[in-house]
PDB file of all heavy atoms in Angstrom:
ATOM      1  N   HIS A  98      15.421  11.003  15.551  1.00 98.00           N
ATOM      2  CA  HIS A  98      14.362  11.909  15.858  1.00 98.00           C
ATOM      3  C   HIS A  98      13.012  11.340  15.289  1.00 98.00           C
ATOM      4  O   HIS A  98      13.047  10.515  14.381  1.00 98.00           O
ATOM      5  CB  HIS A  98      14.640  13.311  15.367  1.00 98.00           C
ATOM      6  CG  HIS A  98      14.717  13.410  13.841  1.00 98.00           C
ATOM      7  ND1 HIS A  98      15.944  13.073  13.220  1.00 98.00           N
ATOM      8  CD2 HIS A  98      13.850  13.692  12.894  1.00 98.00           C
ATOM      9  CE1 HIS A  98      15.773  13.163  11.856  1.00 98.00           C
ATOM     10  NE2 HIS A  98      14.512  13.538  11.645  1.00 98.00           N
ATOM     11  N   GLU A  99      11.925  11.895  15.824  1.00 97.00           N
ATOM     12  CA  GLU A  99      10.623  11.411  15.341  1.00 97.00           C
ATOM     13  C   GLU A  99      10.033  12.476  14.462  1.00 97.00           C
ATOM     14  O   GLU A  99      10.043  13.635  14.764  1.00 97.00           O
ATOM     15  CB  GLU A  99       9.714  11.139  16.525  1.00 97.00           C
ATOM     16  CG  GLU A  99       8.355  10.610  16.140  1.00 97.00           C
ATOM     17  CD  GLU A  99       7.516  10.094  17.304  1.00 97.00           C
ATOM     18  OE1 GLU A  99       8.072   9.795  18.359  1.00 97.00           O
ATOM     19  OE2 GLU A  99       6.278   9.993  17.191  1.00 97.00           O
ATOM     20  N   LYS A 100       9.579  12.006  13.240  1.00 95.00           N
ATOM     21  CA  LYS A 100       8.871  12.954  12.330  1.00 95.00           C
ATOM     22  C   LYS A 100       7.379  12.679  12.575  1.00 95.00           C
ATOM     23  O   LYS A 100       6.988  12.043  13.555  1.00 95.00           O
ATOM     24  CB  LYS A 100       9.297  12.685  10.893  1.00 95.00           C
ATOM     25  CG  LYS A 100      10.619  13.338  10.574  1.00 95.00           C
ATOM     26  CD  LYS A 100      10.699  13.560   9.037  1.00 95.00           C
ATOM     27  CE  LYS A 100      12.010  14.147   8.651  1.00 95.00           C
ATOM     28  NZ  LYS A 100      12.195  13.996   7.195  1.00 95.00           N
ATOM     29  N   HIS A 101       6.585  13.137  11.638  1.00 90.00           N
ATOM     30  CA  HIS A 101       5.096  12.961  11.914  1.00 90.00           C
ATOM     31  C   HIS A 101       4.691  11.468  11.867  1.00 90.00           C
ATOM     32  O   HIS A 101       5.397  10.648  11.254  1.00 90.00           O
ATOM     33  CB  HIS A 101       4.322  13.874  10.989  1.00 90.00           C
ATOM     34  CG  HIS A 101       4.075  13.376   9.643  1.00 90.00           C
ATOM     35  ND1 HIS A 101       5.050  12.647   8.929  1.00 90.00           N
ATOM     36  CD2 HIS A 101       2.978  13.393   8.831  1.00 90.00           C
ATOM     37  CE1 HIS A 101       4.534  12.369   7.745  1.00 90.00           C
ATOM     38  NE2 HIS A 101       3.297  12.775   7.687  1.00 90.00           N
ATOM     39  N   LYS A 102       3.586  11.190  12.462  1.00 94.00           N
ATOM     40  CA  LYS A 102       2.951   9.842  12.446  1.00 94.00           C
ATOM     41  C   LYS A 102       3.909   8.685  12.919  1.00 94.00           C
ATOM     42  O   LYS A 102       3.921   7.621  12.313  1.00 94.00           O
ATOM     43  CB  LYS A 102       2.432   9.620  10.991  1.00 94.00           C
ATOM     44  CG  LYS A 102       1.356  10.579  10.681  1.00 94.00           C
ATOM     45  CD  LYS A 102       0.664  10.223   9.349  1.00 94.00           C
ATOM     46  CE  LYS A 102      -0.424  11.235   9.033  1.00 94.00           C
ATOM     47  NZ  LYS A 102      -1.092  11.042   7.787  1.00 94.00           N
ATOM     48  N   GLY A 103       4.628   9.029  13.952  1.00 97.00           N
ATOM     49  CA  GLY A 103       5.504   7.968  14.608  1.00 97.00           C
ATOM     50  C   GLY A 103       6.727   7.526  13.847  1.00 97.00           C
ATOM     51  O   GLY A 103       7.380   6.562  14.194  1.00 97.00           O
ATOM     52  N   GLN A 104       7.074   8.246  12.741  1.00 98.00           N
ATOM     53  CA  GLN A 104       8.212   7.819  11.934  1.00 98.00           C
ATOM     54  C   GLN A 104       9.519   8.174  12.627  1.00 98.00           C
ATOM     55  O   GLN A 104       9.743   9.334  12.928  1.00 98.00           O
ATOM     56  CB  GLN A 104       8.170   8.470  10.556  1.00 98.00           C
ATOM     57  CG  GLN A 104       6.847   8.171   9.833  1.00 98.00           C
ATOM     58  CD  GLN A 104       6.654   8.994   8.588  1.00 98.00           C
ATOM     59  OE1 GLN A 104       7.497   9.838   8.244  1.00 98.00           O
ATOM     60  NE2 GLN A 104       5.523   8.746   7.869  1.00 98.00           N
ATOM     61  N   LEU A 105      10.380   7.237  12.812  1.00 98.00           N
ATOM     62  CA  LEU A 105      11.682   7.449  13.418  1.00 98.00           C
ATOM     63  C   LEU A 105      12.807   7.443  12.365  1.00 98.00           C
ATOM     64  O   LEU A 105      12.908   6.484  11.607  1.00 98.00           O
ATOM     65  CB  LEU A 105      11.985   6.420  14.516  1.00 98.00           C
ATOM     66  CG  LEU A 105      11.017   6.363  15.667  1.00 98.00           C
ATOM     67  CD1 LEU A 105      11.476   5.345  16.740  1.00 98.00           C
ATOM     68  CD2 LEU A 105      10.796   7.793  16.280  1.00 98.00           C
ATOM     69  N   PHE A 106      13.591   8.507  12.381  1.00 98.00           N
ATOM     70  CA  PHE A 106      14.684   8.722  11.445  1.00 98.00           C
ATOM     71  C   PHE A 106      15.985   8.917  12.165  1.00 98.00           C
ATOM     72  O   PHE A 106      16.011   9.427  13.269  1.00 98.00           O
ATOM     73  CB  PHE A 106      14.499   9.998  10.571  1.00 98.00           C
ATOM     74  CG  PHE A 106      13.445   9.840   9.503  1.00 98.00           C
ATOM     75  CD1 PHE A 106      12.099   9.917   9.787  1.00 98.00           C
ATOM     76  CD2 PHE A 106      13.821   9.772   8.163  1.00 98.00           C
ATOM     77  CE1 PHE A 106      11.124   9.846   8.830  1.00 98.00           C
ATOM     78  CE2 PHE A 106      12.907   9.704   7.175  1.00 98.00           C
ATOM     79  CZ  PHE A 106      11.534   9.734   7.472  1.00 98.00           C
ATOM     80  N   GLY A 107      17.086   8.429  11.523  1.00 98.00           N
ATOM     81  CA  GLY A 107      18.417   8.829  12.071  1.00 98.00           C
ATOM     82  C   GLY A 107      18.634  10.297  11.873  1.00 98.00           C
ATOM     83  O   GLY A 107      18.162  10.936  10.919  1.00 98.00           O
ATOM     84  N   ASP A 108      19.396  10.926  12.798  1.00 98.00           N
ATOM     85  CA  ASP A 108      19.717  12.365  12.696  1.00 98.00           C
ATOM     86  C   ASP A 108      20.784  12.599  11.626  1.00 98.00           C
ATOM     87  O   ASP A 108      20.823  13.676  11.018  1.00 98.00           O
ATOM     88  CB  ASP A 108      20.285  12.900  14.040  1.00 98.00           C
ATOM     89  CG  ASP A 108      19.181  13.065  15.112  1.00 98.00           C
ATOM     90  OD1 ASP A 108      18.032  12.962  14.754  1.00 98.00           O
ATOM     91  OD2 ASP A 108      19.584  13.364  16.292  1.00 98.00           O
ATOM     92  N   ARG A 109      21.673  11.663  11.475  1.00 97.00           N
ATOM     93  CA  ARG A 109      22.834  11.877  10.627  1.00 97.00           C
ATOM     94  C   ARG A 109      22.687  11.271   9.295  1.00 97.00           C
ATOM     95  O   ARG A 109      22.381  11.924   8.314  1.00 97.00           O
ATOM     96  CB  ARG A 109      24.121  11.349  11.343  1.00 97.00           C
ATOM     97  CG  ARG A 109      24.443  12.083  12.651  1.00 97.00           C
ATOM     98  CD  ARG A 109      25.770  11.654  13.275  1.00 97.00           C
ATOM     99  NE  ARG A 109      25.789  10.299  13.558  1.00 97.00           N
ATOM    100  CZ  ARG A 109      26.251   9.717  14.706  1.00 97.00           C
ATOM    101  NH1 ARG A 109      26.693  10.577  15.684  1.00 97.00           N
ATOM    102  NH2 ARG A 109      26.309   8.474  14.873  1.00 97.00           N
ATOM    103  N   SER A 110      22.901   9.964   9.227  1.00 97.00           N
ATOM    104  CA  SER A 110      22.951   9.319   7.909  1.00 97.00           C
ATOM    105  C   SER A 110      22.549   7.831   8.025  1.00 97.00           C
ATOM    106  O   SER A 110      22.784   7.186   9.104  1.00 97.00           O
ATOM    107  CB  SER A 110      24.376   9.387   7.342  1.00 97.00           C
ATOM    108  OG  SER A 110      24.602   8.315   6.453  1.00 97.00           O
ATOM    109  N   ALA A 111      22.014   7.303   6.958  1.00 98.00           N
ATOM    110  CA  ALA A 111      21.624   5.922   6.972  1.00 98.00           C
ATOM    111  C   ALA A 111      22.797   4.997   7.133  1.00 98.00           C
ATOM    112  O   ALA A 111      22.726   3.917   7.595  1.00 98.00           O
ATOM    113  CB  ALA A 111      20.904   5.587   5.584  1.00 98.00           C
ATOM    114  N   GLU A 112      23.966   5.549   6.860  1.00 98.00           N
ATOM    115  CA  GLU A 112      25.246   4.727   7.091  1.00 98.00           C
ATOM    116  C   GLU A 112      25.373   4.275   8.552  1.00 98.00           C
ATOM    117  O   GLU A 112      25.965   3.199   8.809  1.00 98.00           O
ATOM    118  CB  GLU A 112      26.494   5.597   6.729  1.00 98.00           C
ATOM    119  CG  GLU A 112      26.634   5.960   5.274  1.00 98.00           C
ATOM    120  CD  GLU A 112      27.008   4.753   4.398  1.00 98.00           C
ATOM    121  OE1 GLU A 112      27.406   3.680   4.892  1.00 98.00           O
ATOM    122  OE2 GLU A 112      26.956   4.904   3.184  1.00 98.00           O
ATOM    123  N   ASP A 113      24.820   5.089   9.490  1.00 98.00           N
ATOM    124  CA  ASP A 113      24.922   4.709  10.861  1.00 98.00           C
ATOM    125  C   ASP A 113      24.254   3.323  11.125  1.00 98.00           C
ATOM    126  O   ASP A 113      24.734   2.546  11.907  1.00 98.00           O
ATOM    127  CB  ASP A 113      24.111   5.700  11.742  1.00 98.00           C
ATOM    128  CG  ASP A 113      24.874   6.978  12.007  1.00 98.00           C
ATOM    129  OD1 ASP A 113      26.088   7.009  11.723  1.00 98.00           O
ATOM    130  OD2 ASP A 113      24.269   7.949  12.467  1.00 98.00           O
ATOM    131  N   PHE A 114      23.133   3.090  10.363  1.00 98.00           N
ATOM    132  CA  PHE A 114      22.401   1.789  10.574  1.00 98.00           C
ATOM    133  C   PHE A 114      23.097   0.674   9.912  1.00 98.00           C
ATOM    134  O   PHE A 114      23.093  -0.425  10.447  1.00 98.00           O
ATOM    135  CB  PHE A 114      20.944   2.022  10.058  1.00 98.00           C
ATOM    136  CG  PHE A 114      20.266   3.101  10.777  1.00 98.00           C
ATOM    137  CD1 PHE A 114      20.237   4.422  10.410  1.00 98.00           C
ATOM    138  CD2 PHE A 114      19.585   2.848  12.055  1.00 98.00           C
ATOM    139  CE1 PHE A 114      19.648   5.380  11.106  1.00 98.00           C
ATOM    140  CE2 PHE A 114      18.995   3.814  12.721  1.00 98.00           C
ATOM    141  CZ  PHE A 114      19.031   5.121  12.263  1.00 98.00           C
ATOM    142  N   ILE A 115      23.725   0.937   8.778  1.00 98.00           N
ATOM    143  CA  ILE A 115      24.495  -0.065   8.093  1.00 98.00           C
ATOM    144  C   ILE A 115      25.704  -0.461   9.007  1.00 98.00           C
ATOM    145  O   ILE A 115      25.999  -1.656   9.238  1.00 98.00           O
ATOM    146  CB  ILE A 115      24.964   0.355   6.684  1.00 98.00           C
ATOM    147  CG1 ILE A 115      23.757   0.689   5.842  1.00 98.00           C
ATOM    148  CG2 ILE A 115      25.860  -0.718   6.017  1.00 98.00           C
ATOM    149  CD1 ILE A 115      24.115   1.317   4.504  1.00 98.00           C
ATOM    150  N   GLY A 116      26.329   0.528   9.520  1.00 98.00           N
ATOM    151  CA  GLY A 116      27.451   0.305  10.468  1.00 98.00           C
ATOM    152  C   GLY A 116      27.007  -0.539  11.676  1.00 98.00           C
ATOM    153  O   GLY A 116      27.678  -1.465  12.135  1.00 98.00           O
ATOM    154  N   MET A 117      25.854  -0.223  12.170  1.00 98.00           N
ATOM    155  CA  MET A 117      25.275  -0.976  13.332  1.00 98.00           C
ATOM    156  C   MET A 117      25.051  -2.443  12.974  1.00 98.00           C
ATOM    157  O   MET A 117      25.421  -3.326  13.742  1.00 98.00           O
ATOM    158  CB  MET A 117      24.003  -0.325  13.771  1.00 98.00           C
ATOM    159  CG  MET A 117      23.331  -1.060  14.928  1.00 98.00           C
ATOM    160  SD  MET A 117      21.728  -0.297  15.303  1.00 98.00           S
ATOM    161  CE  MET A 117      20.701  -1.227  14.196  1.00 98.00           C
ATOM    162  N   LEU A 118      24.487  -2.671  11.779  1.00 98.00           N
ATOM    163  CA  LEU A 118      24.145  -4.057  11.417  1.00 98.00           C
ATOM    164  C   LEU A 118      25.462  -4.839  11.169  1.00 98.00           C
ATOM    165  O   LEU A 118      25.558  -6.023  11.579  1.00 98.00           O
ATOM    166  CB  LEU A 118      23.253  -4.049  10.134  1.00 98.00           C
ATOM    167  CG  LEU A 118      21.867  -3.559  10.332  1.00 98.00           C
ATOM    168  CD1 LEU A 118      21.139  -3.468   8.963  1.00 98.00           C
ATOM    169  CD2 LEU A 118      21.076  -4.357  11.302  1.00 98.00           C
ATOM    170  N   LEU A 119      26.469  -4.171  10.560  1.00 98.00           N
ATOM    171  CA  LEU A 119      27.713  -4.889  10.357  1.00 98.00           C
ATOM    172  C   LEU A 119      28.446  -5.125  11.668  1.00 98.00           C
ATOM    173  O   LEU A 119      29.050  -6.175  11.865  1.00 98.00           O
ATOM    174  CB  LEU A 119      28.605  -4.019   9.426  1.00 98.00           C
ATOM    175  CG  LEU A 119      28.091  -3.893   7.994  1.00 98.00           C
ATOM    176  CD1 LEU A 119      29.035  -3.011   7.140  1.00 98.00           C
ATOM    177  CD2 LEU A 119      27.900  -5.271   7.321  1.00 98.00           C
ATOM    178  N   ALA A 120      28.313  -4.227  12.634  1.00 98.00           N
ATOM    179  CA  ALA A 120      28.938  -4.482  13.943  1.00 98.00           C
ATOM    180  C   ALA A 120      28.225  -5.630  14.647  1.00 98.00           C
ATOM    181  O   ALA A 120      28.893  -6.491  15.270  1.00 98.00           O
ATOM    182  CB  ALA A 120      28.824  -3.181  14.814  1.00 98.00           C
ATOM    183  N   GLU A 121      26.909  -5.722  14.492  1.00 98.00           N
ATOM    184  CA  GLU A 121      26.227  -6.814  15.075  1.00 98.00           C
ATOM    185  C   GLU A 121      26.623  -8.160  14.398  1.00 98.00           C
ATOM    186  O   GLU A 121      26.767  -9.161  15.112  1.00 98.00           O
ATOM    187  CB  GLU A 121      24.669  -6.598  14.921  1.00 98.00           C
ATOM    188  CG  GLU A 121      24.130  -5.472  15.797  1.00 98.00           C
ATOM    189  CD  GLU A 121      24.168  -5.823  17.338  1.00 98.00           C
ATOM    190  OE1 GLU A 121      23.757  -6.949  17.665  1.00 98.00           O
ATOM    191  OE2 GLU A 121      24.622  -4.986  18.108  1.00 98.00           O
ATOM    192  N   CYS A 122      26.790  -8.142  13.118  1.00 98.00           N
ATOM    193  CA  CYS A 122      27.275  -9.327  12.403  1.00 98.00           C
ATOM    194  C   CYS A 122      28.667  -9.664  12.946  1.00 98.00           C
ATOM    195  O   CYS A 122      29.020 -10.842  13.164  1.00 98.00           O
ATOM    196  CB  CYS A 122      27.326  -9.080  10.875  1.00 98.00           C
ATOM    197  SG  CYS A 122      25.697  -9.190  10.119  1.00 98.00           S
ATOM    198  N   GLY A 123      29.497  -8.623  13.072  1.00 98.00           N
ATOM    199  CA  GLY A 123      30.895  -8.832  13.544  1.00 98.00           C
ATOM    200  C   GLY A 123      30.810  -9.516  14.933  1.00 98.00           C
ATOM    201  O   GLY A 123      31.566 -10.492  15.190  1.00 98.00           O
ATOM    202  N   ALA A 124      29.969  -9.042  15.808  1.00 98.00           N
ATOM    203  CA  ALA A 124      29.891  -9.624  17.157  1.00 98.00           C
ATOM    204  C   ALA A 124      29.427 -11.046  17.175  1.00 98.00           C
ATOM    205  O   ALA A 124      29.694 -11.872  18.036  1.00 98.00           O
ATOM    206  CB  ALA A 124      28.907  -8.793  17.962  1.00 98.00           C
ATOM    207  N   GLY A 125      28.760 -11.457  16.113  1.00 98.00           N
ATOM    208  CA  GLY A 125      28.281 -12.825  15.943  1.00 98.00           C
ATOM    209  C   GLY A 125      29.225 -13.689  15.080  1.00 98.00           C
ATOM    210  O   GLY A 125      28.838 -14.812  14.773  1.00 98.00           O
TER     211      GLY A 125
END
Side-chain angles (χ1 to χ4, degrees):
H98 60 278
E99 183 168 339
K100 281 202 182 164
H101 81 322
K102 299 188 177 176
Q104 301 170 0
L105 299 184
F106 284 77
D108 285 353
R109 295 185 302 226
S110 154
E112 293 286 350
D113 283 346
F114 299 91
I115 299 173
M117 178 183 87
L118 294 174
L119 293 179
E121 290 291 312
C122 283

